[in-house]
Amino acid sequence: MAKTIQAIRGMNDCSPTESPLWQWIEAQVRQVLNNYGYSEVRMPVVESTPLFARAIGEVTDVVSKEMYTFWDNDEQLTLRPEGTAGCVRAAIEHGWIYNNEQRLWYMGPMFRHERPQKGRYRQFHQAGVEVFGIANPEIDAELIMLTYRLWKALGIDQHVTLQLNSIGSLEARANYRSALVGFLENHQDLMSDEEKDRLVKNPLRILDTKNPELQKVLDNAPKLLDYLDDESREHFEQLCSLLDAVGIQYEINPKLVRGLDYYNKTVFEWVTSALGAQGTVCGGGRYDGLVEQLGGHATPSIGFAMGLERLVLLVQEVNPNVPVKSAVDIYVVYQGKGATLAAFELAEKVRSELPHLNTMLHCSGGNFKKQFKRADKSGATLALVIGESEVQNKQVVIKHLQGGADQQTLDLVNVIDYIQTQF
Ligand code: HAM
């Protein structure tokens, strides 16, 4: 036998038994986003490399070590590691945000060359939202309310908590950065080489270090919230009072800075303790400077993205009885003279008249016993049975595959009405 070829490490297949849960989760996401009046956009999975370097920041982990980059003749291209940069690029390029507000969403694969583990993959899927043209904190609150509604729809709202912070204006952050570096310089003995490197290139990222000794020291470090400019402080206070008013609980986490450089003012993450180390299911924030930085007109912007693999894992963990519909509702079995054509006609009629039901025709021959085994395995509720006598009498036998109801023989003309009463 020829040698088999395996999938790339950290890139997963979605099996026929897993896909119904994925589809259910994706349907909940779409439902909630449509409910709030957001519009779907679709961008390419490949963009020119400088887009990500400029938007996400050269010194971030994503850009400095995790991008899948290749040359296409003399142009350097990258598999998108996230969706915000491409969405902003498209919004500027097509004038979607020229004198116009936009509430947009997207869903699809992203690529980061990270060390794979549970909840962290090299190809993963995000559902993301980007809102352009709205500066005030109502929209920050709307995004958080929207995600909370989704957690309730997915049955995971008791297992996620909201972490919130404001990282202020560029200027406030620069002041804070100097204060933090001043403080941390006295604690370099506790730092790994990578952390020392961060101290020079991206000191705010040290705030989310996993190093327990450094974490302890950071409890006494200057707090970003104390360095906020007045406008950011007011914005944050208004957001907090809106969340209080609608009853959404949050924890202010002064160490939350996020891993991408484009943020300012509000940043947030929804985290769970049910998934081990990879507990952030959703993260986002404001990025009021990015549109201008990428060549558009200054446009206030905010967004977030959630990791669909992590949501799938969390739903499986805490809500294993989600009402995932079987892929097949009705299974048609048939045998004998004239039965094949009659079965094809019947299956097509059911599909035309009851398009909300999924109907599978057996197709692979064999006796009734073998066919019923397949029908059971399909998870269908009803089997429609056609043998020679049914063909002659223009009838169909209905067998209930779930539960113990007796089988029935019906005239062909009454079959559709009967099926309708069963679902
Ligand atoms: P991010 O925090 O890098 O933000 O990613 C958002 C979410 O994607 C994470 O919270 C996590 O659930 C999921 N995720 C990230 N990396 C992986 C991975 N390697 N494997 C599995 N899941 C992963 C962004 O991407 C921003 N673009 C979000 C945003 C939109 N901010 C403003 N607008």
Side-chain angles (χ1 to χ4, degrees):
M1 272 211 288
K3 196 165 175 280
T4 57
I5 296 172
Q6 314 270 301
I8 309 298
R9 197 163 111 84
M11 303 201 178
N12 301 315
D13 301 301
C14 179
S15 72
T17 48
E18 292 164 315
S19 62
L21 179 58
W22 276 82
Q23 289 184 352
W24 180 77
I25 291 175
E26 288 164 5
Q28 305 305 310
V29 172
R30 288 198 175 91
Q31 166 75 37
V32 168
L33 290 163
N34 290 336
N35 221 219
Y36 280 76
Y38 286 57
S39 308
E40 184 182 1
V41 285
R42 301 184 185 198
M43 286 80 62
V45 295
V46 180
E47 299 271 1
S48 88
T49 305
L51 172 69
F52 300 115
R54 266 168 72 183
I56 300 171
E58 295 277 6
V59 299
T60 57
D61 285 351
V62 170
V63 172
S64 65
K65 23 182 207 210
E66 295 171 0
M67 296 209 301
Y68 283 93
T69 294
F70 57 96
W71 286 96
D72 177 19
N73 294 325
D74 54 359
E75 196 179 6
Q76 208 177 16
L77 305 180
T78 293
L79 299 185
R80 63 179 183 192
E82 57 102 57
T84 309
C87 189
V88 171
R89 193 265 314 136
I92 298 169
E93 184 172 337
H94 306 298
W96 297 339
I97 53 177
Y98 187 73
N99 279 336
N100 203 8
E101 290 173 5
Q102 288 284 2
R103 288 165 155 92
L104 307 176
W105 68 270
Y106 50 85
M107 193 146 43
M110 309 289 161
F111 304 83
R112 295 184 192 176
H113 196 275
E114 297 195 79
R115 204 161 44 80
Q117 63 179 90
K118 181 181 172 190
R120 186 165 72 195
Y121 310 103
R122 291 182 172 173
Q123 176 174 335
F124 60 98
H125 297 77
Q126 283 185 345
V129 161
E130 314 294 349
V131 177
F132 298 100
I134 305 180
N136 63 35
E138 275 109 299
I139 194 68
D140 308 29
E142 175 172 291
L143 290 194
I144 289 170
M145 286 160 72
L146 178 161
T147 47
Y148 185 59
R149 183 176 288 276
L150 178 64
W151 310 148
K152 283 203 279 198
L154 297 178
I156 59 172
D157 52 305
Q158 299 299 315
H159 303 269
V160 288
T161 52
L162 174 62
Q163 308 244 314
L164 202 58
N165 194 18
S166 175
I167 59 172
S169 65
L170 262 184
E171 201 188 352
R173 216 153 54 253
N175 291 337
Y176 173 68
R177 186 188 150 118
S178 316
L180 183 68
V181 171
F183 172 86
L184 286 172
E185 269 171 348
N186 302 323
H187 299 282
Q188 292 200 45
D189 50 323
L190 300 176
M191 291 183 192
S192 65
D193 288 346
E194 193 180 347
E195 282 158 348
K196 283 183 192 154
D197 190 46
R198 278 194 172 161
L199 186 60
V200 179
K201 292 186 180 151
N202 201 359
L204 264 58
R205 285 314 307 277
I206 296 183
L207 293 176
D208 54 29
T209 177
K210 301 274 187 290
N211 172 347
E213 286 186 74
L214 201 55
Q215 276 175 341
K216 223 178 274 159
V217 163
L218 282 168
D219 288 340
N220 299 317
K223 302 273 174 292
L224 221 163
L225 282 174
D226 295 332
Y227 285 76
L228 285 193
D229 50 296
D230 289 345
E231 193 191 317
S232 299
R233 187 189 308 281
E234 209 173 295
H235 186 100
F236 192 57
E237 282 167 3
Q238 284 175 17
L239 169 61
C240 291
S241 36
L242 273 168
L243 294 178
D244 292 337
V246 296
I248 293 186
Q249 291 178 353
Y250 53 88
E251 193 181 304
I252 296 179
N253 176 359
K255 293 181 186 163
L256 179 67
V257 288
R258 309 265 309 129
L260 314 164
D261 274 0
Y262 45 62
Y263 294 109
N264 67 304
K265 289 189 178 161
T266 312
V267 289
F268 66 94
E269 286 185 353
W270 287 94
V271 295
T272 179
S273 52
L275 294 182
Q278 304 306 317
T280 307
V281 294
C282 173
R286 279 207 161 266
Y287 52 94
D288 296 319
L290 184 59
V291 174
E292 197 174 16
Q293 193 185 315
L294 292 180
H297 294 279
T299 307
S301 314
I302 180 168
F304 67 80
M306 50 202 151
L308 295 182
E309 282 77 4
R310 293 183 192 180
L311 289 177
V312 168
L313 285 169
L314 188 55
V315 170
Q316 282 170 335
E317 185 83 24
V318 305
N319 191 13
N321 299 320
V322 290
V324 173
K325 195 173 162 301
S326 164
V328 179
D329 301 303
I330 297 168
Y331 196 97
V332 183
V333 302
Y334 54 95
Q335 193 188 6
K337 198 160 169 266
T340 302
L341 191 57
F344 264 97
E345 282 172 359
L346 176 61
E348 288 299 315
K349 188 174 153 95
V350 177
R351 291 175 188 132
S352 300
E353 299 199 19
L354 304 173
H356 61 291
L357 297 179
N358 300 336
T359 304
M360 184 177 272
L361 185 64
H362 177 67
C363 286
S364 66
N367 59 26
F368 272 133
K369 192 169 166 222
K370 176 190 156 192
Q371 297 194 31
F372 279 122
K373 243 190 201 159
R374 287 259 167 222
D376 278 332
K377 215 169 160 196
S378 77
T381 306
L382 296 182
L384 309 185
V385 189
I386 301 185
E388 271 180 40
S389 62
E390 283 74 30
V391 174
Q392 270 164 17
N393 302 331
K394 295 197 167 25
Q395 288 181 322
V396 179
V397 172
I398 315 264
K399 201 166 171 222
H400 297 262
L401 301 173
Q402 319 284 340
D406 290 340
Q407 76 173 44
Q408 279 159 290
T409 304
L410 295 180
D411 287 341
L412 199 50
V413 289
N414 297 325
V415 169
I416 296 291
D417 285 347
Y418 178 80
I419 294 174
Q420 223 158 3
T421 64
Q422 299 301 302
F423 289 91

